[in-house]
Amino acid sequence: MASASDTVSAGSGARTAAERKGVVTRFAPSPTGYLHIGGARTALFNWLFARHHGGTYLLRIEDTDRARSTEPAIAAIFDGLNWLGLGGDEEPVFQFARSDRHAEVAHKLLAAGHAYRCYLSQEELAARRAAAQAERRPFRIESEWRDADPATWPEGQPWVVRIKAPRDGATTIDDLVQGPITVQNAEIDDYVILRSDGTPTYMLAVVVDDHDMGVTHVIRGDDHINNAFRQLVIIRAMQAIEGEDGEAGWEDPAYAHIPLIHGADGAKLSKRHGALGVDAYRDELGLLPEAVFNYLLRLGWGHGDAEIISREQAVEWFEIGDVGKGAARFDLKKLLNFNGHYIREAEDARLAGLVADRLGGLDGTGLALLAKAMPVLKVRAADLLELAAGARFLFAQRPLALDEKAAGLLTDEARALLGAMAERLAAEEWAAEALEAALKAMAEERGLGLGKLAQPLRAALTGTTTSPGIFDVLVLLGRDESLARIADQAAMAA
Ligand code: GLU
């Protein structure tokens, strides 16, 4: 059984709760699925709050549900958090590995009379619940074992440990987001903290881990508000036995329950609203982490009318009290707008690296060309998919396969024009200004608009009808490749 109650991680670099100073927050996902957008935002607010106060941000994997917790989910959560720059400051804590310590606390509460052995069977409980339902009265467990004399404990029968919740008075939580919330203690039941097989319940595990990790601020979804009142029962009972058995530092944490995220239509967020795992935002939507970070930040929190906010600025400005009380609305379009902004801001070499993966990998020359093209590509793209699509022409193999629209442009007349353009351009210095001047002169001589020349030229050079400016395209492709691509199409004239 774990004896050093304040050591929570097996990682060699782990500090003890006592060594950590100031604010300690934690993100505590249950690894039963991917890291979803709501979880990522909870992580972000925990991270920001800790950073703003110069504190520590910890991760805890709540893997006590053995049937539903999976390794791939754990990996996806770390992956998503690292991508967003929200990895923990220390080795993560795995909750299941700490079961002995959780049970230890249950036994201490039992020994001190703050919890009791309850011999009520599942059948009895079900019968009582059904009776309450039939009489239309609320069901609350009132166990006759709460104050039973140990002499009456039935021998050889299974028992659970229930916490003794106070029956009188009320409990108030001064929630940092929701404000003060009061619950009558009579509404809090004597819930199970240790099952009949000796394993701890989730409610107990959370409280013990938060204490042992030295968590000062519990920031989580507002679906956990009711749990806070129940969890406080254990915390207050432990406060009463502090000093015994080496237990120390059992303080009420501060709570901040943040509203859930809803879809743009106000309904609970679902896949239909574009609520995907964080990995899908990266892989399928081609978003940059800083865009998702900025968007999540603005989801339910604001600073004046600032929209584009850097990490540093966010850390400086973040106040948990500024988180809105109402449900935040998820807006995929706005997220994509943020992404377009961050793509334009991003370094060309970095974008080239990200896009290269989507083009199936590039060698050094290819990467350099892609980086060189990035300034004209990135102004036209809202995500990495569009960026990759826009860059594809650079690496297309001759003769180019034309898309339908581009092929439609290449009439016999247009192909003949391509032949003439090739001749004219071949005589020029291969620079944007010179090429532009030459083509303009040619258009004028023929009494044509510049578009009449530029359109077939774009079709021949890129195989499409949308691309960066045609002179940029000519320069990026270079003289030989450009002239060869034009010649390929001109030669097909009837
Ligand atoms: N594991 C819980 C969840 O994923 C969070 C518990 C907590 O933050 O206290 O909803």
Side-chain angles (χ1 to χ4, degrees), residues 272-355:
R272 182 167 56 82
H273 300 102
L276 309 165
V278 165
D279 53 329
Y281 287 98
R282 176 189 60 201
D283 302 335
E284 287 165 38
L285 297 186
L287 304 185
L288 295 178
E290 57 269 40
V292 177
F293 182 101
N294 193 154
Y295 179 71
L296 288 177
L297 173 66
R298 289 285 295 108
L299 207 49
W301 176 88
H303 183 82
D305 50 16
E307 286 289 355
I308 299 295
I309 304 172
S310 70
R311 267 178 113 80
E312 295 68 36
Q313 200 101 73
V315 166
E316 192 189 320
W317 287 343
F318 188 77
E319 300 286 350
I320 193 78
D322 291 338
V323 173
K325 278 193 204 184
R329 297 218 172 179
F330 182 77
D331 179 353
L332 187 58
K333 232 163 111 191
K334 185 165 170 183
L335 173 54
L336 291 172
N337 278 339
F338 273 93
N339 201 56
H341 168 84
Y342 281 103
I343 282 190
R344 289 188 290 283
E345 298 266 293
E347 295 227 351
D348 294 334
R350 173 183 166 217
L351 289 176
L354 292 170
V355 170

Side-chain angles (χ1 to χ4, degrees), residues 37-38 41-42 45 177-178 222 257-270 273 275 295-302 322-332 334:
I37 204 81
R41 189 186 56 151
T42 302
F45 285 0
V177 170
Q178 312 284 338
D222 65 6
H257 287 96
I258 57 184
L260 297 179
I261 302 173
H262 285 189
D265 56 3
K268 198 169 168 278
L269 197 63
S270 69
H273 300 102
Y295 179 71
L296 288 177
L297 173 66
R298 289 285 295 108
L299 207 49
W301 176 88
D322 291 338
V323 173
K325 278 193 204 184
R329 297 218 172 179
F330 182 77
D331 179 353
L332 187 58
K334 185 165 170 183

Side-chain angles (χ1 to χ4, degrees), residues 350-363 366-367 370 374 388:
R350 173 183 166 217
L351 289 176
L354 292 170
V355 170
D357 292 341
R358 290 173 184 270
L359 294 173
L362 295 173
D363 60 10
L367 261 181
L370 189 52
M374 212 38 89

Side-chain angles (χ1 to χ4, degrees), residues 26 28-30 60 62 202 206 210 218 220 223-224 231:
R26 68 1 178 228
S30 304
R60 180 170 74 231
E62 303 212 310
Y202 170 70
V206 169
D210 281 344
V218 172
R220 61 188 174 190
D223 48 335
H224 287 285
Q231 289 163 359

